[in-house]
Amino acid sequence: MTPPRIRTVWARASLRSRVLLLAVVLLTAGFTAFSLVTGNALRGYMEDRVDGQLRAASQVFSLLPPTVAETGAVRQPPAALADFSTDVLGNPVITYVTEDGTVESSVDSLAAANRTGDARGPALPRLDTAVVAAREGRPFTVDSTKGDARWRVIAVPRSSRARLQGVTVTRAPAVSGSVIVATQMTEVDDTVGRMWRNYRSTGLGLLAFLAVAGWFAVRSGLRPLSRIEQTAAEIAGGDLSRRVPELAGPNTELGRLAAALNGMLGQLETAFAARSESEARMSRFVADASHELRTPLAGIKGLTDLHRMGALADREEIDATMSRIARESDRLTRLVGDMLLLARLDEHSLKATGGPAGRRAPDSPPGLDLAPADLRTLAADALHDVHALDPDRTVTLTGPGGDGPPASAPALADEARLRQVVTNLVGNAVTHTPPGTPIRIGVGTVGDHAVLEVADRGPGLAPDQSSRIFERFYRADTSRNRATGGAGLGLAIVRSLVTAHAGHVEVDSAPGRGATFRILLPRPTDRHTSPSPPEPAALRG
């Protein structure tokens, strides 16, 4: 299989197969490395023992002349020499060579002892005096002259005098050459071979067992991922309420993964729900805006068609028609202006909250002319607005929360825009409460804020309506009646304008207890403070 083919198969393999294959490969590599280390250590240990025996034998036979070795092996050797040859030397092959490497005599101790005449022997290289001296008594390995056996060989120079078990053996001083002692490595090779065979049989069995056990272990370990995969498939099918089960402790990798996925799924569900709600609000707004725009446009078109067809006979009818066209045009202008204002405020809000920690930008929103102002003036004007809209209503001016008389409420604001805010709140109270329902307008300061509030004793709002009353395009009354439903922009404009003034607006309401809309603006700093304007006549005496 070519490398690209292997990469393709590996990429298509499942995670379970990859983990299992990697585990088996690592186990095989580890077991093989362990076998090599232990096998080489055992061979080295046994070769060291053989080398020790060879050094001992070479020390002995380097002191003995060839005749002693021959007669000791062929004839009845002394008991001590026989024991030494069998137990210590391991029945070696002793070879005496001359200075130029010519074999002088060779004795196979095992063949001589058994009188078989079937002599063994290592395939020795030519070992003259210079070669023996260069080897410095270090053992080496050679092949056999018969069979596949290996021999361990040591070559040392011969000595001229020695003492063996109290008997002095003397040679002529002129004797020279080397003695070569060799022993078979059969025991070493057989032992190491048995070890390798045992390793192969037990290793294959162990790998097979571990592969099967690893399969079940990996399957069990990856079962949580299978649960996560199943949950993800159900979520992809449209069930956004599904969550990844807690399959492990919170401090484990799977626990942290499940927590992160559940957090992400919660955000996704919220985002999808918000998008659906936004789409629903947008659909309602488009329908309402279309209705609001279509009505004055239809009136304008109808009146202009009448004028074009000559249906308006006299100047009085023409003037009345033009007045109606002007009123409908004003309605269109106000509606379009409200939408454009919200768009500009939204654009500025996005820019203002794009800085560090979402802090408000220091520059003023477009279209706002900030200057020191007093909310008492707006409260007094609001009182007149209520009387103009519904003369039968009872309107009172109080301090914030209905405690005490109205008080000065200085603020840094665009008075014209705040007048629009108060007008929207007053109009909202008049529109959504029964005729004659009392209205209270409170003004003053609370802490570091200037406060203006519009309270009524109407039917009030449910908790879910209070939480959404300032949302864009939201209407507590979902009807399309212009008198009660509206386009759902008035309170949205209130919140956007108050927010643009670095303030906030809140509502306190409950079913049957009416509603209180409260505007809170930061009080101006000393450098923005100016003398309070004269107290309005409506607030005196």
Side-chain angles (χ1 to χ4, degrees):
M1 186 178 294
T2 60
R5 177 64 176 172
I6 294 175
R7 286 194 294 269
T8 302
V9 173
W10 177 259
R12 293 179 179 177
S14 64
L15 179 60
R16 183 181 307 171
S17 301
R18 294 185 188 183
V19 172
L20 182 63
L21 181 59
L22 286 175
V24 171
V25 169
L26 291 176
L27 285 174
T28 303
F31 190 77
T32 302
F34 173 78
S35 302
L36 289 173
V37 171
T38 54
N40 291 332
L42 177 62
R43 179 180 296 277
Y45 170 73
M46 297 190 69
E47 285 184 353
D48 288 342
R49 291 188 57 187
V50 172
D51 291 344
Q53 294 176 352
L54 287 177
R55 289 190 181 93
S58 65
Q59 293 294 330
V60 173
F61 288 105
S62 66
L63 303 175
L64 298 177
T67 55
V68 175
E70 292 175 1
T71 55
V74 176
R75 299 183 186 145
Q76 294 295 333
L81 185 59
D83 294 340
F84 182 83
S85 174
T86 302
D87 299 336
V88 178
L89 306 182
N91 295 313
V93 172
I94 304 99
T95 304
Y96 290 90
V97 297
T98 60
E99 292 182 355
D100 58 0
T102 303
V103 176
E104 184 178 347
S105 63
S106 179
V107 179
D108 184 353
S109 57
L110 180 62
N114 295 333
R115 293 181 174 84
T116 59
D118 187 11
R120 306 164 298 161
L124 295 174
R126 188 170 187 84
L127 297 172
D128 54 21
T129 303
V131 174
V132 172
R135 291 187 177 272
E136 297 179 349
R138 291 190 300 270
F140 56 96
T141 304
V142 297
D143 295 330
S144 179
T145 56
K146 294 182 180 180
D148 298 331
R150 297 185 310 125
W151 290 78
R152 194 69 171 168
V153 180
I154 188 172
V156 296
R158 279 190 272 175
S159 300
S160 59
R161 181 171 295 176
R163 179 179 295 273
L164 180 60
Q165 292 186 352
V167 179
T168 299
V169 180
T170 304
R171 292 199 301 266
V175 174
S176 61
S178 304
V179 60
I180 302 170
V181 182
T183 185
Q184 280 186 320
M185 298 287 289
T186 304
E187 183 178 357
V188 175
D189 293 339
D190 290 345
T191 302
V192 175
R194 285 195 301 272
M195 185 207 71
W196 280 113
R197 287 192 294 272
N198 291 335
Y199 275 173
R200 281 196 298 270
S201 58
T202 57
L204 291 176
L206 181 62
L207 285 176
F209 172 77
L210 291 178
V212 175
W215 171 262
F216 289 101
V218 171
R219 182 180 180 183
S220 175
L222 295 181
R223 186 174 292 115
L225 293 181
S226 300
R227 296 282 299 277
I228 294 175
E229 177 187 2
Q230 179 182 358
T231 303
E234 294 174 354
I235 294 171
D239 187 3
L240 296 178
S241 63
R242 291 283 298 171
R243 293 295 181 270
V244 177
E246 296 182 358
L247 305 171
N251 295 325
T252 62
E253 290 81 358
L254 283 176
R256 291 193 294 270
L257 175 61
L261 288 177
N262 286 333
M264 180 186 67
L265 292 174
Q267 293 180 358
L268 287 176
E269 184 179 13
T270 303
F272 275 101
R275 188 186 70 173
S276 299
E277 180 62 22
S278 176
E279 291 175 351
R281 289 200 309 268
M282 181 61 71
S283 298
R284 292 196 300 266
F285 168 73
V286 170
D288 293 338
S290 300
H291 178 74
E292 291 290 332
L293 293 172
R294 182 178 57 187
T295 301
L297 286 174
I300 293 172
K301 184 177 186 301
L303 293 172
T304 55
D305 289 343
L306 286 175
H307 178 68
R308 188 179 65 253
M309 290 183 299
L312 303 177
D314 53 20
R315 186 67 186 177
E316 183 178 353
E317 290 181 349
I318 293 175
D319 291 341
T321 301
M322 295 305 294
S323 297
R324 291 181 59 186
I325 291 175
R327 287 195 299 271
E328 296 299 331
S329 299
D330 290 340
R331 286 180 57 193
L332 287 174
T333 301
R334 287 194 300 271
L335 182 58
V336 173
D338 289 343
M339 296 173 66
L340 291 176
L341 175 61
L342 286 172
R344 287 196 301 268
L345 292 174
D346 285 344
E347 182 181 3
H348 177 78
S349 177
L350 290 174
K351 293 179 180 178
T353 57
R359 293 178 294 187
R360 186 177 181 274
D363 56 325
S364 300
L368 292 188
D369 184 13
L370 300 182
D374 194 334
L375 300 186
R376 274 194 309 179
T377 303
L378 301 180
D381 293 342
L383 183 143
H384 294 296
D385 292 341
V386 175
H387 282 307
L389 292 172
D390 189 352
D392 297 330
R393 288 182 185 264
T394 301
V395 185
T396 57
L397 284 171
T398 67
D403 298 332
S408 176
L412 186 66
D414 185 332
E415 187 172 344
R417 290 301 186 184
L418 282 186
R419 194 176 298 278
Q420 181 181 0
V421 169
V422 177
T423 300
N424 283 352
L425 291 179
V426 169
N428 184 73
V430 172
T431 302
H432 295 286
T433 58
T437 302
I439 293 178
R440 180 182 61 83
I441 301 175
V443 63
T445 58
V446 177
D448 295 333
H449 291 86
V451 179
L452 189 149
E453 56 189 17
V454 178
D456 62 65
R457 298 181 184 177
L461 299 170
D464 59 330
Q465 293 175 331
S466 297
S467 63
R468 301 179 56 193
I469 195 66
F470 295 106
E471 291 182 7
R472 197 78 46 87
F473 317 126
Y474 177 77
R475 298 174 304 165
D477 182 0
T478 57
S479 69
R480 291 188 178 180
N481 188 296
R482 293 198 304 269
T484 59
L489 296 178
L491 293 179
I493 292 175
V494 167
R495 184 177 65 172
S496 296
L497 285 174
V498 172
T499 302
H501 284 80
H504 63 280
V505 60
E506 56 189 29
V507 60
D508 182 12
S509 180
R513 292 199 300 108
T516 300
F517 289 87
R518 186 174 298 108
I519 300 170
L520 296 97
L521 299 178
R523 298 175 66 178
T525 58
D526 293 339
R527 64 188 182 91
H528 290 136
T529 303
S530 63
S532 298
E535 186 176 357
L539 299 179
R540 294 199 296 264

